[in-house]
Amino acid sequence: MLGGLGEKLVKKAVAAAAAAAAAMVAVIAFGATIFYALCLLVVPLAAAALTTLLFALAAAIVVSVFLRRESDAEAGEDDEPVGMGERAFTLFRQRPILGTAAALAGGWIFLRNPALATMVAAAFTETSHGRRRR
């Protein structure tokens, strides 16, 4: 069972790597095409600078579009997480280093003393007193 799952995962990873490599080659070829087209109009140094500027501008546009989508998605997520799983998920999503440290500390506490692990779980599941849901 696990062998089939691993085989599917490897096939998907190989397909993703091949697609990424093809995309990289296409972007490099597109950049070279733009560079050589600009070389017909301006000196090669200026053509290189303009090509770099064009790709930097395209990257900035892509980043701003994705960040705007992310900020729009986060605007609707003002609700406080209810359960321990949701709290842990939001902690990992917002602060991944702190979440990893908390998970390692929780695992160490659980291995050393399961009663302390119960107290840690109770601290995570305790709701805040500011806002009540019904």
Side-chain angles (χ1 to χ4, degrees):
M1 179 182 150
L2 207 53
L5 179 65
E7 186 177 320
K8 287 181 184 178
L9 187 62
V10 168
K11 284 183 181 180
K12 287 183 180 183
V14 168
M24 185 181 75
V25 167
V27 168
I28 290 172
F30 183 62
T33 303
I34 290 174
F35 171 75
Y36 286 117
L38 286 172
C39 277
L40 297 174
L41 303 173
V42 294
V43 294
L45 186 61
L50 288 173
T51 304
T52 303
L53 180 66
L54 178 70
F55 275 86
L57 182 65
I61 290 171
V62 168
V63 167
S64 68
V65 166
F66 279 107
L67 287 180
R68 187 177 323 128
R69 279 190 199 162
E70 185 177 312
S71 66
D72 291 343
E74 286 179 1
E77 298 176 5
D78 291 337
D79 295 338
E80 184 177 316
V82 178
M84 184 175 166
E86 289 182 31
R87 284 178 184 242
F89 177 72
T90 15
L91 178 67
F92 274 104
R93 195 179 78 213
Q94 292 175 353
R95 296 183 181 100
I97 295 174
L98 179 65
T100 304
L104 289 173
W108 184 79
I109 288 171
F110 180 73
L111 287 175
R112 301 290 288 169
N113 190 347
L116 285 177
T118 306
M119 291 185 343
V120 169
F124 268 105
T125 57
E126 183 178 318
T127 59
S128 66
H129 300 289
R131 207 169 66 168
R132 298 237 180 231
R133 290 187 187 205
R134 292 191 181 223

